Each structure stands twice: as C-alpha cells, then as structure tokens.
C-alpha cells in the first residue's frame, strides 16, 4: 500500500503537481485540506498531490467491518486549471499504479458532489474499476459559496479499497501495508481505540465546548482578516461536530444550526482568502483563459460538379449521465433540423445518436450549395423618389447609395398596395461547408443540460466538458469553431483502443469507422446487444426480467459505448439475505442485472456490462469481488441489525433529522403513529395490529442496513419485525406504511398498512406545505408530489377508507406539526391535491366533463372512483339523462343565489303542488345518504322527471306576485340542489 | 524540496521502513507522532519513515526571519532495534539525497536530547554537514518515563535547512519547493498568518479552556484504557500550551504545573500502551536480543621460540563526546595497566590514545607467556597431621585429597612460626593471547561514562555504542569476547575511505596502518596539526589566539580523527556586530577558531577543522554559508533588539521563569535592583548610576539575541543600553552585574557594577538555598557554587565594599525572597561560603594556620585578604610574635568561660596594677577600630608585652582569695580578648 501511495504521488509529481503534507488537524476528506479548499479559489494556477488520512467518526466500526474505517486514506489531486485531458491523465495514473487499463473495465459513472457545509459543489464521476468505485473525479464549480474560475479538477483515490482490489483482500486489515506487514498489524489498535472514542467514550459536554470555542476562534480570526488560521478552526469545528454526531449527541436543531454556521464561516474564509491573495498580487500568477480556436480554412472550391454529400457532426464529450445523453440527443435533432431549415441547403433526414462520449448528427444528401435567391430591397415610395422634374430625390439617391446600386437598376413594385422603388439583389447560395459551419457552431453553443458545469473553456457550459468536434461534409471538414474548439476530421474511439484517435476519410464512412472501432453509436443497437447478450449468458439456467429491469437496462445502454455483457456469480449463501437487499445492491449500486429462475427466485449470478474489449476473466473476478464485498457489508449490517432490538433501532431515529423545522425522524414517526390511530378511531377501524404497528413505524430507518440503503425502508422493517417476533400482520403493516414508494409501486393491502401509509404522507404534506411550501415547477426535493399521489392511490385502493376525507385528515396532520399550519396552507394543499387527482384521472382516460363533475369529491378519491364508474354506466341511459337534464333545467332558470326552500302554502297550481309533493317525497327518500350513489339517485330522482316536465309546461315561474314567484323559484332551487353534493352537474356534457 | 522528501522516504523504505503519514493534530516534533512516541515502547520491532510538519508557535517570525518558521518540515526515521550500523545507513541516506559524503565534511557532534514533558531522553549527535546541523541522531533511552528495551534509533532531518544548503538559498522562502515554485510562494502566506495567530491573535482565554478540556479528555481516556486517543489529547494539550506560551500567557506557576501534568499523562499513556500491546500479544512480534559473540579460537601454539610482542587493543566506538573520549583514555590506561599487573606477563610501557571513534592501548614487549610459578598450599599443622603411629591423620588425608596430591609430595614448612604440612604446586604461566583475552574483556565491560546509554548490545553500556574490537598480540588475534562483540584483526578507518575496513597484519603495524589511512590517533599530534595548520592558514594577516582558545582547541582535537584545518571568510559587514556575538557563534555553535589581527581585533575570517580529506572548496563554501546564516540571524535579532526599547525588553522578563518557586526573571531582576540599592545605602555608596542600572539590570534577557545566546547576557545589555542613550557608566554597570561569568572571568570594575553583581549572586544563593538546597557533590544545576565564588571574588576585588558583610547581605537578600529563608538556611549558606573561601585561600597558597586565623572574617573576604597580607608581613617579626605569644599565654591560663572584666580596686601588687594600667591604656587606644588592622594592633598591643611578662613573673594568679583570683583572671581575660575580633589567634602557628 505504501508503494501504491508513492507511485501515485510520483506520477502526479511528474505531471507538475506539488507534493504537500496531510492537514495537521483532523479532516473528513482531502477536500478540506487548505491545499484544496483554499487553493481552488481565485485565479492562481495550482497542481497538487497529497495523501490525506480522512477521519469519519461515523464510520467507526471498531475495525470489525471489512470495508469501513474511522480513518481511511485518500490520495488527493487538484489540477487547476482543468488541463483539458484530466481523464487521460487519470488513466495514466492507474497505469502507473500497475493497473492494466486495457484489460480492466474502467468507467466514469455519473456522480455529483456537494458539501452544503462548505458551500461547495461540483460535477463529475465515480470511477469504476471492474465495478469498484475507486476514485471520485469532480470538476469543482463552487467552494465557500464562490463560483470557481478557473475550474479545478479534483481526483480523490480511495486507497484502501483500491489496494484491497489489487491485492484481492477481503478485509482491510489483511491489506499488505508494507512487505510482510499487514494494515491490521499497523493500524488495527488505532482503529479499535479511535472507534471506541468516537462511538462510546468521547465526552459530549467537552466536545460541545470545543465546538463553541473553535467556532468563536474561527470568527475572531475572520474578523482579524486571517483566513488560514480561521480555516483550521473551521476544520476543528467540523471534527468536533462529527464527534458529537457519532456519539449521537446532535439534535435536529443543533445540526441545522451547525451546518449553517459552518457554511457561513467557510464562506467568510473563502472570501477573505480571495481578497488576501488579491492583495498579495497572486504569488503563483494567474491562469490565462484559453484563446478562441481558429476555424480550419474552408475547403478550396472544387472543379467537379458538386454532388450532395452526407453531413456528419460529432460533439465529443466526457462521459455524460444517461439522462443527459438522452436529452442531448433530442436537443441535437431539434437544433440541427431547425438550423438546416434556416439555410437554403436541401438535405435528407436528420438522424441523431448519443453515447456517453459523443453526440452525433448524420444528415444525408446535403446539397453542395444553397439555392440561389433574389432579394427585393424596398426603397422610398415612387411618389417621394422623383422630383417634379422626374429627377431622383435625395431620398432615392440615398437609398441607391446605401444599396450600392445605380439608378438603372431601380425598379418599381407594389408593396402593401403602394408603389415603391425597389432594388432586386441576386444572392448566390452559400457553399455547404461555410453555411454548415455557422449552423453547427450554434448547435454547440446552445447545448445545455439540466445541471450545467464549467471546465477550461471560457464560454461553454454543459453537463460535462465538450472536448472535441468532428464535422465533415462529404470529404471536407466543415470549419466549425466554437469558443476554444475547432472541428476536424479526427474522432476519438475507445480510450483503450490501440489508436484512440481515428482519422475519418469522409462523412459517409464515419458511422462505419466508429463501428469498426467498436463504438456502437445507436442506443437501440446497444440495448439489443445488452439484452440478447445477457439472455445468452444466463440461458438455460435463468433469465433476466427485461421488462422489469427496463429502467436499469436503459441506464446501462447509456453507460457504455461498446457493450460487453459478462456473467458473474456470487456465493449462494448470500441468497439468505432479503431479495430486496440483493437486488438493490445489484441495480442501484452496481448496475448489475439480477438473474432469476423460472419461478422468479433470484439465482446466485448477475450480468454486468463492461465497456469495450476487456479481459473477461479479470473483469468478472473484479466485479464478483465487489459484489461479494458489498454483500458482505450488507450481511454484516443485516446480522448486526437482527441482533438489535426494535426499540433500540427506533431510538436512533431521534438522531436523524427530518427537516430543521419539523424535528427528527422520531418526532415524525410519533406523529405518523398518532395520526394513523386517530384516523382509525374516527373510522372505527382501530385494531391491536395498528396500535402496535404505529409504535414501530419507521423504526428501520434506525437500522444500519437502511441507513446504508434507504430504499429498503419498510422491506427491512418487515424482516426485522418478524425476526423480533412481532405478529406477521404488524410486520406487514409497518412494511406497507412505506408504500407506494414510486408511481408504479405496490400499494398497502391491509387497512392498518393503508392508514399508516396515509398518515405518513399526510404528515409530510402538511409539514412541508407549512414550512418549505408546496412544489412548483420541477423542483420537489422532498417529493411532496409523490406523497400526494400516494395519498390518492392508497385512498382509491381502499373502499374501507372511503369515508375518510383526506382534507380533514390533512388538517388533523397539520394540528400535529411542531409549526402552525394555517388555513391558507390547508386550502393550498387541498387545491394541490385536487389538481393531482384531476391530472391522474385525465391520464387514466376519463372524459374531462365527468372528471370535473365528480371532482367535488376530491377529498375522498375512492368516492370519485365510484361515481366515475357509475357515470360510465349511466351516461347515455335515458333515465339518467332525463334526471340530469331536469336538474340542469332547474339550475338554468333559478338564479344562483336563490336558496332552496319555499313556503308550500303559496303553491296552488296542480302542477306545482304535484312537483312539491314529488320533491318532498324524493328528498325524504334520498335523505342524507351514507355515501354518494348515482344509481340510487337516478332511480329516486327519476320520479321528478315527469312532474318537473309538467310544471314547466303548465306553470309560469315568473309570476307577478313576488311571493309566489319566490316560492316557485325556491321549489326549483330545491330540485336543483337535490343532486348538489353528488356531482357538479353543470360540468356534465350530456 | 519535494523531491528530497521523496528520495529520503524511498531510501528508508528500501531499508525496510514503513511509510506513514504525519500526525493529524499539531505536533511540535516528529517524535510526538505515535509512530515514534508509542512505537519505541515495548518489545516489538518497528521501522518507520515519515514527514512531519512540526509546529513551534514560539518560532513564529511572520516569515521574516530567514531561518525560522512556525512550521518546519521534519523527516523522521525510527529504527527499532538499533540495526548496529545506523550511522552507515544514515550516510547512505545522504548519498541518496545526492550529497557526496566523501567530498563534504559530515560529522557527528555530541548532542543529547531530553523532553521533560514526555519523560523522554536519549544520547546521540547533531549531524553536521560542512558545519550545518542537518540531522538529530538519537539513541532513545527512555520515553514516558519507561526504559526502552530494545533501544530505538531516531533520525530527524531538518528538511528546510538541508535544502537551503543544497540549493544555496539564504532565506527559506527562496527554497525551490518544486520545479519553478518557491517555498515562499506556496507557504509564505500561511507562515505569516499562523505567526499572527501564535504571536498576536490567539485568544488566551480560549486556549486556556482548550488546554483544560484536552487534559481532561486525556485523563478520561487513560482511565478508559485507551492509550491511542489519550495520546492525541496529550498532543493537543501540548499545542495549546505552546500557543499560550507564544502569546506570553504562561505564568511561572502554570509552566511548572503544565509540564508536570503532561509528563504524568504521557507516562500513563506509555504504561497503558505497553500493557495494551502486551494484551494484544505484540502483533508485530518481539525483538530477539542479539546472541553473545563467540571468541575466535586461540592461536595454535607456535613451534618457534616465542618472543615478546606488542599488544594492541582497540575499542571502536561511535563518536564520543570530547570529554568522554578524554576520560575514557584515562580509564583505559588504568584498566590495562592494572589488568596486566594482575597477570604474570612482563611488558613495557602502556600507551593509550583516544579519538572520537576509538580508544587504543598499545603495550610494548608483552611476553609470550606468563612466568612459571610455584604456589605453596598450606595444610594442617604438623602436630595434627600425623597420628601417634606416624600415620597421616584424617585431616592430612583430606587435605592431600583436596589438593590432588600424594603423601610423597607433602613437605613441611613454618607458617607464622608454626610447623605445617604444605604442598608445592608448580604452575605454568598462561600464553599471552589467552591471558590477555580475559584482561581485555574486563576492560571493555568496565567502560563507563559520566552519562551512559544502551544500544543493541544486551549487556554493555557506555557514552556511545561500542561497535568493534581489534586485539592483536604480535601477529595473533587476542580472542577477546565481550557480550556480542568478538575481537578481530580488522579495524575501521575513516568512513569515507575507499577501504573503510582495514586488516591489520600485526600489532606492531597497527599505529602505522591507522596513520597511513589518515587516522591520527594521538591527541597531541592532532592538536599540533590543528594549531600549526590554523596559524599557517591565517599567516600573515592574522593569528589564532592559541592560549585564549585553548579550551576550544582541546574540544576540536577530540571532534576529529584526521584534522583538516580550512580557512573561511565572512562578509566584513558582520564585523559591525559585537565581538562577543561573533565569537560566541564561532566558538560555541560552530567550533570555529576566530582570527584576530595584531591588535586583537577580529578579522572577517575563521578556521574550521574538517575531518579527513574533503573537497576543500566545497566544505569551505558550506561552512561560510552556515556562518553567514548564523550571522544573518544574529544581525536580524540585533537589529530588532536595537529597535526595541529597554523597558519593552525588560517587560519580557515577566515571561521568563527563574524557578517555579522563585518567580519570573522580572521578579528576580527587581529583587536584585532593590537589594543593590539597599546595600549601597547602607554603605553610603548610593548613586544615580546605580539607581538607573538597578532599574535596567538583566533587561537584555528579554532581547532576542540573548534569548538565542544566553552567554551574551550583559554584553548585549551594555550594547543596547548605550544604543538607547543610557550613560556609559550605567551601561557598564548593567554589563558588570553579570560578572564574573566563570572562574577566570573579568570582575566588575565599578562600584555600582560590583553591587549589582553581588546582589545578583546573593539573590540566587538565598533563593536557591531556601528552595532547591545548596549544592552537594557534583550536582549544581543552578551554579550556586559559581555564584558564591563570584560573591567572594567581587568582594575581595573591591576595598570600597570591605565594610559590607556578605552574611548580613545574604540575610537581606533572603528577606526579599518570595519564600521564607530560615535562620538554618542562612547558617548553612554562611558555612558554605566560609568553606568556599577557605578552599580558595588554600588554592591560592596561603598557609592553613593563617587562613584559619583570619577566617573569622569570612563575611568580609576583603578583610580576610588584608589580614592575610598583614600576617604575611608580620609573621616572624618579633614584635608580632611577642604580642601573639602574650595573647596566647593569657588565653591558655584563663578558663574559656571567664569574662573579660574585673574590679581594679582589688589589684594591689605593683605588677598587676601596672598591667591594669597598660591594659586600660591599650584598650582605650585600640578603641573600636573601623577596620581590623594587625599592624596597628601589634604596635599598640606591643606595649603590653613587658607588663604582662612582669605580671607573670611576679604575681600568683591563682590566689587563695577568690575575689582577688577572679580579678586577676579577669585582667588576663581582658588581655586575651584584646585581639579577639581580629584573628582566631589560637590557630596561628608561630
């Protein structure tokens, strides 16, 4: 291991990096060392490499966990400015370390980094070596709240895990640290004792005092204008805070306050540093921005007749996140299509392709030149163009001079019916390369992602750096130049290729050249290779659930350019772990495809998809080792959790913040449990199962496994609860409280589960609406939208809950919040919920008029469903249409403000008396029905159809006698209101 | 610089060292890193190399001082156990660094290391590269108060200074840290800002709190049995303490208490670590002690007649301190001489030699065998040996059996006049090699120094490691074996020799072989080479004051084996610095010989003495650069000091501890000033000069230059005081207050200077006598003995102070101490002073009787001098002898208890009346003389001689009448007492 550190250090030193020492106060990561945190600020260049023992009190495991240490070793590299080829330099470092990058599967997998406490973030990747995350690679965008210009590249190697992989060790203690001496022999005791300190023995009061003293010193030093010592005290703050946290002594309020304080201090330090360096005149100089690229010369005009040729335009990028690659492909199609449309170049279809490393547009038969063109330039009116003597006026002369035209060339033409002098200019069409150059430059400049970053280019911004452009029209380079990039005829294929740079003869051979070099540009082709390759590998023992894994397969498709599916296996023993644990690790952490038998049971194997030609045995073994380590980790947590009592796990919730204003997870769990039982009582659905489940709800957030894999919340709760001897129904209810976890997810099957699920989501919506506000646009960090959809789905799925008003329940949830939830907030939430319901119903294909008619029941979505079903049945049936029309007719005649109610003694006409009697009877029969029922209503209210028709035929409503008129209107208003609570009848289109 | 760190690290890694990281909390030295402090404890092997940025808040200089940094870079190596050749390994590391050790002058100069706060110490060297201290090299003996077994070798490189030397830079900021990037560019701002923190901005209250919290955590963790985190908190304590110290916030009491606390904590941590490692079963194994050496076989007996041959015995050591080398030479002579005397080998003179690396005994003409020998063994008395029948008794039989003798061999012989049976045994002398082997083994085993250490040898202990033995008698190896060492015929010459190991053909060629290889074994030869070489180098421009520099020359003689004097020069501009500054640097720090012109003024040159053949130009340049840096440093301090006001310097004394019970140096200076003026007033010697000097006394201890070079105290005071515009007499008095600094030093010339000097020493003696106690034996850490000698010398030099009683003055000094100075203490001090005076007078050659006679005046040594001078004059002169005899006669007759005084009316006899009258007259004339004066006394008291003689002739003293007898005795007692205060007449031998 020490050799590896020395080699990496030597390699980066040879790349011009300074070597400095680790920080001499505890830091959680190399990023905190001033050699990174301060040096990435400001305009000075900086290249550095250093080792940083990184202290994470929370990762203390007494040295027992094979992969987790309270102090692990980072090797940190900063390249400022971005050298333009940091990935290639990085691969060189792996080679220096003895890693054969051609044999291994090295990949750059999207991973963005942010440290709220430092006001810092960046975009980049985890680097995977045969599936193992060995490096964090980040383009630093902001630190201390300041935008970074120039941008720095940060490369952080996790040394222990790299060495474990290279040495094929299964526990960090087994690492050969130096010849004949193991890591455990050297650091084992320290690992144990420092774990003891961080987990058990650190004095909470002392560390709290330390935190305060450090923060005060930091502030004093900021005030004194000394960023360097101030920074060390910010670091000490951070460590003291981490110690308190690992001791379980950080309350919700503390955490929020501390993060805010650290962010503020770090921001002040950063500003001060920048100012100080400025005052010192930037001792290390200043980075010069790259100069704009010069476009290649236009191809010489060709003698031969110019045929249409293919256009190919490739934008070379560093590994894009899958979603961004897909989105960029769409952009490329639009931008190229529109760009071409604005020219007068004829062309065939625009085809676009995207891989992690390139966006390609191919356009067939692009004409050699634009069509020629006559442009009419409007001059003065004829009346104003010539003097009485017929000589040109000054106005005309000026116009002609401006157009460089002679009087001879002046013509006359009607413009909007008025005679004007015009000049006709014949414009020759541009040659394709010149015209295309402009179009394509704009395409590049217009690239944007949902989250953009900067690199060494002074103008461009995109999801990841754009590194090269290839643009050919037929045999000719299209002279595109954008900022510092100029297009050429050289593309880049796989980095591990013998010839990573390849010259393209002509646009027509481009796609073939990529293919020959192993790059599968078309995503559909890649997907096909992945799916068929995977199924071939597992046949006949098992199969990959292609439909079930569609999202994962789609992601993998955009993670590789040259898919190479590989089969790996794992020890059958791990199948004892819950299915969800195994598949979560495979899918989410490793992007492996799970393999199942005919019955759907997991098999001890997986398919991973490497990029390009690799040493299959080596990569397989590497991936298997990674999975084994992850499963070992999971098994470790699983065993530990199963040895922990449920109350002990639940106690840990007090240490988890929900939000700073809404308390801890323990607070939230208590609210959920309380609310669920309250709702159950109101619905007479109380049960011992619910009572017990309400006590346990969310306890598994305090388990180690769920802490590691939050998506397993609920699943593990069920497992642990059953293991702890809870009744299966209780365990199931606790599990179901987390359902649905996403749109297409399973719903709670049991009533206790459904009540807990609702209570969970009601609590979330009420609390967040009152504090953060309801989501608008695409930003929804707490997934309130998903929670509301869950509320609707659960309610709709449980007829037993039909009587429950979600709006009343929301108010009840609001009353339990630690903050006031105002009437306005509840109204807004109600409206939000109604809109989500409406949208869902529309998406389900219901006619809009019916949706609008039933939406009065949005508080009880299952009623909405019932009514919609009834409406679907009744619509078109005469008896219903007649009732509806009758009600409509009454509604149309009666002013809206007229109340239902009248003095029956004033009614004398037979028809009106008959109607009165019918109304009274119907009204009495309808009574206050338990639940809305259109069938019954139609039947009962149907009895009014005939009397009402007679009434309208025989009675003049608007009698002169005001009292009589009021009584008749009141009678009709009563008819109108008979169905008022049932539907918004006005919305129905009959 | 980063390359140098990498090279050294790589070199030591190749020697089997682990590479670890610097400590991630601030440490003052690499020794504090647990990779040293903890790992040197216990039996486990350990080899490690690491870089350690070492934080010394007190060295903060805002980055302005060229050679001093608040954080400097150490490279630390630990070799446990001592590999037996650590010096050679170290030289290899210099070569790895690109240092040509053959061209440079690399030397190991005595330097012992101790950290009281860590309970740690070791013996070793500073390593000098061309006069520059580049490395601390220590055999670690104790840590945390525990004896270390095995012993570790600690090698600590001071990287900045090595790099400054290698890159020829004059300011640390100029170091090329990495290609094209200077140290200042990278670390300049940090150096400034951290200096600001440590010197100006650190919050004292906050750091005090931190210190307490850290100490409490350390204690808690010790109690919890966790040495590793406890150790980190001890380190944090240390840093917090250092910050407080650099902020001037450590009181005397604080410092003592904190050191005690840290020592206790460090000791507890060490004990705990040892126990924990033991409990863990020593994960890194245990060091096996080296096995005893096997002596070479005895040479085969030779056929030829064995002639006497030379014996040579060489004990090869690592560089001994000069004083130890000299002492060991004496031991060797005694031990070999006595050892040989106990054999029956005839031999010539024993000659012994010592260099830093070897102790050699050469003995001429050692006989080939011991002389043969007849031994008479005494048996029973003859009377008891034979029975009545003449047959041997059981007693005789037993004796013979015990001696293995037959009855035939029994003889008879007188033993103490009684006839015994005896047996005569003929014993052949041993062969020289066998006999010598035993003698020489004992010589090695008996080697001891004033301070001894252990190394990898399990039995031996000496000032430095003994590494080889060479023992030859003629052509034969003397088979000496001691512990792990066995003698051979191979010696080691200069390490830089082409053949560092040299085979010795025979004892007779040994000295010649050494000489041929450049080793000058004889100290006198070396001294001659040094002196003549130096004078040759400086001739004719200047000269080296050989007599004045005798002590230095003697030291140099024992610092080199192959003296190579070199002349260096320095910039004349530095001659503006005080002479004492320049010479102190040369002598004390660099062991350079100053060069002066005919008038004694310093010339801008120096002589240094390299060891062995070096590249003269290179070594000269290196030494010149070192001296320049030191002078630059001194000039920096000098300039800074001269810009500091005297009161500001004096204020700094409050930050310097004198002793924990006796307060700060400021307290002490106040006492001295007060006492001096008090004494002056009592002697009517008050003066404005004294008053002003009393205010300033010791102020220069607060100057930077004296802080660096304490031996310049006083000298700099005079310089700075004059520079600040003080009167020359004041400046001189302040200077003189420090005199005499050693036995042969200058004494204060002025009365104010003398009074301050006395007050200084009186304060020291009174305070220390009351707290630490007076020195006994050789231990005298505060130099109380020297202070007392100073008191005596100053008093004796100043007749104006003759009236001053040092004993009264000591009481006055005692009254000013912050502790009670009891009567017993003052009595003991008086006795101590009297003894020192007596000893001094004896050493000055005064007859003991006279000394004893005058010692009654020890409180006023100048009176003693006067009286001794008078005695010398008077002794042998009749008038004095008569007076003395008269007084003696009176004394002998009168009982001691008889008081002087009588009733004259009782005296009737003419002789007694005459005597009475004479006594009355003499007594009246003597009166109470201002000062004792033997001349006057002799003259006046001479008038009693005749009356007294008559009295004795004519009067019978012991009259029957008691009243008369009493009167006569009283009269004689009055005579007796006439000289009582003047001398102890009884001591005089006339």
């Amino acid at each position: 291991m020490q050799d590896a550190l020395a080699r990496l250090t030597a390699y980066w030193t040879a790349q011009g990096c300074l070597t400095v020492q680790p920080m001499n106060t505890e830091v959680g990561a190399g990023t905190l060392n001033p050699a990174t945190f301060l040096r990435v600020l400001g305009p000075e260049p900086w290249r550095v490499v250093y080792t940083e023992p990184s202290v994470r009190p929370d990762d203390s495991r007494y040295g027992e966990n094979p992969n987790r240490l309270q102090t692990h070793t980072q090797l940190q590299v900063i390249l400022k400015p971005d050298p333009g080829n940091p990935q290639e330099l990085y691969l060189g470092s792996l080679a220096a370390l003895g890693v054969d990058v051609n044999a291994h599967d090295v990949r750059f997998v999207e991973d963005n980094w942010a440290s709220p406490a430092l006001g810092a973030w960046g975009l980049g990747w985890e680097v995977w070596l045969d599936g193992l995350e060995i490096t964090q690679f980040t383009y630093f965008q902001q630190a201390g709240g300041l935008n970074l210009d120039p941008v720095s590249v940060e490369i952080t190697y996790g040394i222990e895990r790299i060495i474990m992989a290279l040495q094929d060790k299964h526990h960090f203690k087994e690492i050969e640290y130096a010849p004949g001496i193991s890591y455990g022999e050297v650091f084992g005791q320290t690992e144990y004792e420092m774990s003891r300190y961080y987990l058990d023995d650190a004095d909470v009061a002392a560390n709290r005092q330390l935190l305060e003293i450090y923060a005060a010193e930091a502030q004093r030093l900021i005030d004194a204008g000394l960023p360097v010592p101030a920074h060390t005290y910010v670091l000490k703050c951070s460590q003291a805070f981490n110690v308190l946290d690992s001791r379980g002594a950080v309350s919700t309020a503390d955490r929020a306050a501390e993060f805010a304080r650290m962010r503020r201090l770090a921001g002040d330090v950063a500003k001060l540093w920048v100012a100080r360096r400025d005052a010192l005149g930037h001792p290390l100089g200043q980075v010069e921005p790259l100069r704009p690229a010069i476009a290649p010369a236009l191809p010489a005009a060709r003698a031969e007749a110019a045929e249409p040729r293919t256009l190919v335009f490739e934008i070379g990028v560093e590994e894009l996140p899958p979603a961004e690659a897909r989105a960029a492909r769409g952009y490329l199609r639009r931008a190229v299509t529109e760009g071409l449309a604005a020219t007068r170049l004829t062309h065939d279809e625009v085809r676009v392709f995207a891989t992690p490393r390139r966006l390609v547009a191919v356009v067939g038969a692009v004409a050699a030149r634009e069509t020629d063109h006559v442009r009419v330039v409007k001059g003065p009116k004829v009346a104003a163009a010539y003097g009485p003597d017929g000589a040109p006026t000054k106005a005309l002369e000026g116009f002609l001079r401006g157009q460089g035209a002679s009087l001879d060339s002046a013509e006359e033409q009607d413009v909007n019916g008025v005679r004007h002098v015009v000049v006709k200019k014949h414009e020759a069409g541009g040659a394709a390369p010149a015209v295309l150059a402009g179009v394509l430059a704009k395409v590049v400049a217009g690239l944007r992602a949902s989250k953009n970053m900067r690199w060494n280019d002074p103008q461009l911004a995109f999801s990841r750096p754009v590194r090269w452009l290839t643009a050919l029209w037929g045999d000719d380079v299209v002279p595109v130049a954008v900022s510092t990039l100029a297009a050429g005829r050289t593309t880049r294929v796989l980095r591990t290729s013998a010839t990573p740079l390849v010259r393209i003869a002509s646009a027509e051979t481009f796609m073939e050249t990529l293919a020959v070099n192993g790059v599968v540009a078309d995503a559909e082709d890649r997907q096909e290779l992945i799916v068929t390759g995977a199924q071939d590998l597992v046949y006949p023992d098992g199969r990959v659930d292609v439909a079930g894994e569609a999202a994962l397969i789609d992601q993998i498709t955009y993670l590789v350019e040259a898919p190479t599916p590989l089969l790996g296996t794992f020890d059958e023993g791990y199948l004892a772990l819950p299915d969800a644990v195994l598949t979560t690790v495979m899918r989410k952490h490793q992007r492996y495809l799970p393999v199942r038998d005919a019955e759907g049971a997991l098999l001890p194997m997986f398919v991973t998809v490497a990029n390009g030609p690799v040493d299959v045995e080596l990569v397989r073994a590497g991936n298997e080792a990674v999975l084994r380590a992850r499963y070992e980790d999971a098994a470790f947590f699983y065993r530990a959790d199963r040895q922990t009592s449920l109350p002990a796990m639940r106690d840990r919730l007090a240490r988890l913040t929900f939000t700073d204003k809404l308390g801890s997870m323990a607070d939230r769990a208590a609210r959920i449990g309380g609310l669920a039982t309250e709702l159950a009582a109101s619905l007479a659905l109380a049960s011992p199962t619910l009572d017990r489940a309400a006590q346990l709800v969310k306890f598994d957030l305090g388990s180690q496994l769920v802490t590691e894999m939050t998506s397993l919340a609920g699943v593990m709760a069920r497992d642990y609860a059953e293991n702890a001897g809870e009744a299966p129904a209780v365990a199931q209810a606790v599990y179901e409280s987390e359902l649905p976890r996403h749109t297409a997810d399973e719903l709670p099957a049991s009533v206790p589960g459904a009540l807990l699920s609702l209570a969970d989501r009601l609590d979330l919506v009420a609390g967040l609406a009152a504090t953060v506000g309801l989501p608008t646009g695409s930003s929804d960090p707490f997934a309130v939208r998903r929670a509301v959809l869950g509320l609707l789905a659960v309610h709709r799925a449980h007829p037993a809950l039909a009587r429950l008003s979600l709006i009343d329940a929301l108010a009840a949830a609001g009353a339990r919040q630690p903050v006031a939830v105002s009437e306005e907030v509840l109204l807004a939430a109600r409206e939000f919920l109604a809109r989500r319901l409406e949208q869902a119903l529309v998406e389900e294909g219901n006619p809009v008029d019916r949706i609008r008619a039933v939406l009065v029941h949005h508080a009880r979505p299952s009623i909405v469903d019932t009514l919609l079903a009834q409406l679907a049945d009744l619509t078109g049936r005469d008896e219903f249409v007649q009732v509806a029309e009758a009600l409509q007719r009454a509604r149309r005649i009666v002013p809206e403000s007229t109340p239902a109610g009248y003095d029956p003694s004033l009614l004398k006409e037979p028809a009106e008396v008959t109607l009165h009697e019918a109304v009274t009877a119907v009204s009495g029969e309808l009574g206050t029905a338990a639940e809305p029922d259109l069938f019954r209503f139609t039947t009962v209210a149907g009895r009014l159809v005939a009397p009402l028709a007679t009434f309208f035929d025989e009675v003049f409503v608007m009698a002169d006698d005001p009292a009589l008129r009021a009584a008749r209107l009141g009678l009709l208003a009563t008819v109108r209101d008979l169905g008022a609570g049932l539907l918004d009848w006005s919305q129905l289109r009959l």
Side-chain angles (χ1 to χ4, degrees), chain A residues 839-868:
Chain A
Q839 197 178 334
L841 295 171
V842 170
E843 283 168 9
E844 289 164 18
N846 295 290
V848 171
D849 65 323
R850 292 185 213 157
I851 294 171
R852 297 206 171 138
V854 301
L855 213 57
V856 290
H857 296 286
H858 63 261
R860 304 199 290 166
S862 70
I863 299 295
V864 167
D865 284 346
T866 306
L867 292 175
L868 275 177

Side-chain angles (χ1 to χ4, degrees), chain A residues 871-957:
Chain A
L871 268 179
D873 191 0
L874 294 169
T875 299
R877 275 163 57 182
D878 282 353
E879 63 268 34
F880 177 71
V881 172
Q882 287 164 359
V883 168
E885 283 179 343
L887 298 180
Q888 300 277 50
R889 192 166 180 186
R891 188 181 57 79
R892 276 197 300 272
I893 286 173
V894 183
E896 218 175 326
S897 59
T898 305
Y902 53 95
D903 179 354
S905 67
L906 295 175
L907 304 175
K908 309 292 182 192
E909 300 274 345
E912 65 188 8
V913 171
T914 307
L915 181 59
H916 159 62
E917 286 166 352
V919 164
T920 306
V922 165
S923 185
E925 187 167 348
L926 287 175
T928 49
E931 292 302 331
D933 184 340
L934 263 186
F935 291 146
R936 183 162 167 273
F937 181 80
T938 303
T939 306
V940 176
R943 298 182 204 138
L944 287 177
V945 171
L948 190 65
T950 310
F951 175 85
F952 280 123
D953 286 349
E954 297 176 5
V955 178
F956 180 61
V957 177

Side-chain angles (χ1 to χ4, degrees), chain A residues 348-373:
Chain A
D348 284 354
E349 186 195 2
V350 174
R351 291 181 303 146
V352 292
F353 308 96
T355 79
R357 283 189 77 207
R358 67 197 77 233
L359 303 170
V360 177
V362 180
V363 188
V366 176
R369 300 193 68 84
E370 287 182 301
T371 51
D372 289 351
H373 178 79

Side-chain angles (χ1 to χ4, degrees), chain A residues 546-563:
Chain A
V546 174
E549 308 294 354
L552 177 59
I553 291 170
D554 189 45
Q555 205 181 13
I556 295 170
T557 302
Y558 281 96
L559 282 175
V560 291
E561 289 203 299

Side-chain angles (χ1 to χ4, degrees), chain A residues 813-827:
Chain A
R816 290 177 176 270
Q817 299 302 313
V819 296
V821 181
S822 70
E823 207 52 46
E824 287 80 1
V825 166
L826 288 174
L827 267 174

